[in-house]
């Protein structure tokens, strides 16, 4: 889809393991993510996808393993050795996190404009007019009408909330966005539009994305590469089309053959 | 603060009610607060013989800094003779026996609720505020663990989200009291529910400011001559309230006015909220447009019936 911008990986994940007591959340996961690349993590419920995503996005410390990220200055930094302040700055400038449930990622009691503008204000923008016009611009890019800028997200439909959440995350031009089932819970026509929008934004902005989904169609549409997880382990990975057209592992074959044919 | 420890005598209060160990604890919190301007220092707030919300925080701070030679002034909403001020002044007259006054210039310690005196304060004065909710981020972020982290990391974007909402919904910053400020370029602080009219007085004030929140168990401080900036946007700068009329009694302009309803036919007047300031001006001969109005007589102005008797 898009040309990779650099030979150096943006995110380097080595042997990430997370235990919940005796239980394994995810085990020994290693991969590299390059700039502009979209990686899908697929698998059934409980396979460790979300655990892995939370470990990557510093929301949950892994039990063992290392995750390194290429900062804007080009240096590789271990995420769990950053100070809390650096981590927070990273999360609201260079990163985005799109939750499955938009209410988790939005401030439901402040207007759409303030939701989009919050990151700008957090990084020091103090000009109301600029913040508002940037917010307005972003609402337009995610197909929300300008006259909804002062409305609470409470009054938005599920699809609009999800698009607002995406705008809120992308306003600071992040380089890496994590998505947790961004299309879950939406009806298929809304899903299709959202996927269309995501695809366009990802391509236009050259975003790197780690997307967790159980929907193989979403993975096929959005991602360049795919990792299949089962019981906490990565059992198969490769180019999306390759894995989905010619799955090697019996479990992946099962997954692929379980897609409903209409 | 000389020798406040009284010899224990049965039936007597210790000087200024609190025991000496408690005062030491509170003084330590105050010193820490002064060392880190605007930072909320937790302290072991005591039960006081009055309900929370009546100024238990301010009272404990005042009790801890009061000395026998101090002269105390109590303000409630700018006035010396409203319930809260009268009760608390009585409390310290009884438990500390210190001199009290209505005059801003005469007082060495001023405890206040919701106002800062109009008259400039001096270096040898201390202003003590009663604070209901010390956390400026409280209504934006309910978790104390999170707000403390936000203060620690100087993560104050959320505060501007509130101001943004104000402008988006009202066309201007509609916050009129408890207007958030940044102290010494570091901590965002709630200046207690004083009107934002008083915010410029906090900046570079000569007097030491101490803030006490009894229920929330926090003390914070602004040392003399500290930079205090009210938060705003570049294109929506901070503004104080403006009044289009002078004080009805003393004719003062550029002061904070209270609206007083005179009758039930819609009669009203605006008078200085700072009653001592107003009285002093009238004593100097300043007269406002309604000073001679008989309807205004009972508002602490000239009281013709009483003088006639």
């Amino acid at each position: 889809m898009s040309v990779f911008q650099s030979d150096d990986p943006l995110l380097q994940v080595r042997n990430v393991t997370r235990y919940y007591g005796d239980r394994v959340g995810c085990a020994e996961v290693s991969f590299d993510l390059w700039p502009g690349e979209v990686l899908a993590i697929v698998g059934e419920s409980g396979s460790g996808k979300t655990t892995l995503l939370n470990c990557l996005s510093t929301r949950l410390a892994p039990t063992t393993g290392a995750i390194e990220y290429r900062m804007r200055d080009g240096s590789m930094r271990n995420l769990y050795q950053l100070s809390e302040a650096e981590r927070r700055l990273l999360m609201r400038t260079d990163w985005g996190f799109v939750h499955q449930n938009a209410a988790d990622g939005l401030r439901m009691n402040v207007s759409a404009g303030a939701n989009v503008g919050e990151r700008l204000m957090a990084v020091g923008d103090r000009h109301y007019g600029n913040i508002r016009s940037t917010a307005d611009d972003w609402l337009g890019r995610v197909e929300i009408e300008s006259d909804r800028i002062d409305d609470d997200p409470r009054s938005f439909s599920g699809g609009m909330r999800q698009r607002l959440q995406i705008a809120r995350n992308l306003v600071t031009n992040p380089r890496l966005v994590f998505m947790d089932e961004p299309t879950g819970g939406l009806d298929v026509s809304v899903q299709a539009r959202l996927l269309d929008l995501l695809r366009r934004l990802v391509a236009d902005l050259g975003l790197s994305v780690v997307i967790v989904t159980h929907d193989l169609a979403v993975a096929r549409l959005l991602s360049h590469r795919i990792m299949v997880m089962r019981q906490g382990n990565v059992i198969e990975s490769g180019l999306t089309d390759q894995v989905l057209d010619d799955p090697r592992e019996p479990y992946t074959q099962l997954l692929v053959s379980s897609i409903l044919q209409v | 603060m000389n020798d406040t420890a009284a010899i224990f005598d049965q039936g007597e209060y210790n000087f200024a009610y609190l025991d000496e160990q408690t005062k030491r604890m509170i003084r330590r919190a105050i010193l820490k607060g002064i060392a880190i301007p605007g930072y909320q220092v937790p302290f072991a707030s005591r039960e006081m013989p009055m309900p929370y919300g009546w100024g238990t925080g301010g009272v404990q701070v005042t009790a801890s800094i009061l000395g026998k030679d101090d002269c105390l002034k109590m303000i409630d909403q700018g006035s010396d003779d409203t319930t809260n001020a009268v009760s608390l002044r009585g409390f310290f007259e009884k438990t500390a026996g210190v001199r009290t006054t209505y005059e801003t210039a005469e007082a060495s310690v001023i405890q206040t609720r919701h106002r800062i005196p109009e008259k400039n304060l001096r270096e040898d004065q201390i202003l003590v505020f009663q604070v209901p909710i010390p956390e400026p981020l409280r209504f934006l972020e309910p978790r104390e663990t999170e707000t403390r982290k936000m203060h620690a990391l100087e993560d104050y974007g959320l505060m501007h989200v509130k101001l943004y909402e104000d402008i988006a919904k009202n066309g201007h910053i509609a916050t009129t009291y408890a207007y958030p400020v940044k102290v010494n370029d570091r901590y965002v602080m709630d200046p207690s529910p004083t009107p934002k009219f008083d915010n410029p007085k906090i900046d570079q004030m000569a007097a030491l400011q101490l803030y006490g929140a009894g229920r929330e168990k926090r003390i914070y401080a602004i040392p003399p001559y500290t930079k205090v900036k009210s938060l705003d946007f570049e294109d929506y700068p901070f503004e104080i309230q403006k009044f289009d009329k002078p004080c009805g009694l003393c004719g003062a302009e550029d002061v904070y006015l209270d609206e007083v309803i005179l009758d039930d036919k819609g009669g009203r007047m605006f008078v200085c909220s700072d009653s001592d300031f107003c009285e002093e001006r009238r004593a100097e001969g300043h007269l406002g447009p309604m000073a001679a109005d008989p309807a205004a007589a009972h508002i602490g102005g000239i009281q013709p019936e009483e003088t006639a008797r």
Side-chain angles (χ1 to χ4, degrees), chain A residues 245-257:
Chain A
D245 290 344
D246 182 20
R248 305 264 163 122
E249 293 291 318
Y251 175 73
T252 316
Q253 289 166 2
L254 182 72
L255 270 186
V256 171
S257 65

Side-chain angles (χ1 to χ4, degrees), chain A residues 56-67:
Chain A
L56 299 180
S57 56
T58 72
R59 297 154 60 84
L60 181 73
T63 314
T64 59
I67 303 166

Side-chain angles (χ1 to χ4, degrees), chain A:
Chain A
M1 267 184 259
S2 68
V3 185
F4 296 155
Q5 295 159 347
S6 158
D7 292 337
D8 302 317
L10 188 66
L11 192 69
Q12 219 164 37
V13 180
R14 291 291 174 270
N15 304 319
V16 165
T17 304
R18 168 73 201 196
Y19 284 102
Y20 296 105
D22 289 339
R23 286 176 213 286
V24 179
C26 62
E28 299 287 319
V29 178
S30 301
F31 67 90
D32 289 338
L33 184 75
W34 275 269
E37 186 183 32
V38 179
L39 172 72
I41 305 173
V42 301
E44 61 192 6
S45 302
S47 60
K49 311 186 293 280
T50 302
T51 298
L52 176 60
L53 191 73
N54 286 341
C55 286
L56 299 180
S57 56
T58 72
R59 297 154 60 84
L60 181 73
T63 314
T64 59
I67 303 166
E68 291 195 336
Y69 178 72
R70 187 171 303 283
M71 310 295 275
R72 287 201 186 210
D73 65 6
S75 64
M76 284 304 262
R77 297 283 302 276
N78 188 325
L79 291 179
Y80 288 92
Q81 282 166 8
L82 294 177
S83 69
E84 172 103 29
E86 287 175 304
R87 211 146 60 207
R88 283 195 176 212
L89 184 70
L90 200 63
M91 291 202 75
R92 65 181 180 225
T93 55
D94 231 14
W95 287 7
F97 196 107
V98 178
H99 295 260
Q100 175 173 10
N101 181 2
D104 295 342
L106 293 172
R107 287 193 191 279
M108 296 305 279
N109 48 5
V110 305
S111 68
N115 262 294
V116 179
E118 179 175 347
R119 277 174 165 231
L120 298 173
M121 294 182 248
V123 295
D125 202 326
R126 293 286 178 267
H127 191 283
Y128 175 84
N130 292 350
I131 294 167
R132 195 171 171 82
S133 62
T134 310
D136 191 34
D137 177 45
W138 268 101
L139 290 182
R141 288 164 85 167
V142 297
E143 298 163 16
I144 296 175
E145 294 92 43
S146 277
D147 61 356
R148 303 301 300 269
I149 190 168
D150 291 332
D151 291 351
D152 282 5
R154 252 189 265 279
S155 68
F156 285 12
S157 69
M160 279 173 80
R161 288 181 188 186
Q162 203 55 281
R163 295 202 299 273
L164 179 62
Q165 196 192 178
I166 289 163
R168 173 181 159 90
N169 273 289
L170 297 187
V171 69
T172 48
N173 296 315
R175 293 190 299 161
L176 175 58
V177 179
F178 300 100
M179 298 185 189
D180 190 3
E181 307 271 12
T183 56
L186 301 175
D187 68 60
V188 280
S189 62
V190 176
Q191 244 188 52
R193 271 179 67 200
L194 187 71
L195 283 173
D196 226 30
L197 176 76
L198 276 177
R199 219 155 98 127
R200 204 177 62 231
L201 287 174
V202 166
D204 286 354
L205 303 170
L207 288 178
S208 298
V209 178
V210 178
I211 180 169
V212 157
T213 180
H214 61 261
D215 188 337
L216 293 182
V218 169
R220 190 190 284 267
L221 262 175
L222 282 179
S223 68
H224 306 119
R225 244 176 356 127
I226 194 167
M227 286 193 336
V228 184
M229 289 189 74
R230 190 189 186 204
Q231 292 170 355
N233 293 291
V234 175
I235 55 164
E236 187 165 355
S237 65
L239 298 175
T240 303
D241 290 342
Q242 199 173 36
V243 171
L244 294 182
D245 290 344
D246 182 20
R248 305 264 163 122
E249 293 291 318
Y251 175 73
T252 316
Q253 289 166 2
L254 182 72
L255 270 186
V256 171
S257 65
S258 310
I259 297 176
L260 285 177
Q261 304 292 332
V262 186

Side-chain angles (χ1 to χ4, degrees), chain B residues 8-13:
Chain B
F8 182 73
D9 189 1
Q10 208 154 23
E12 292 271 314
Y13 287 114

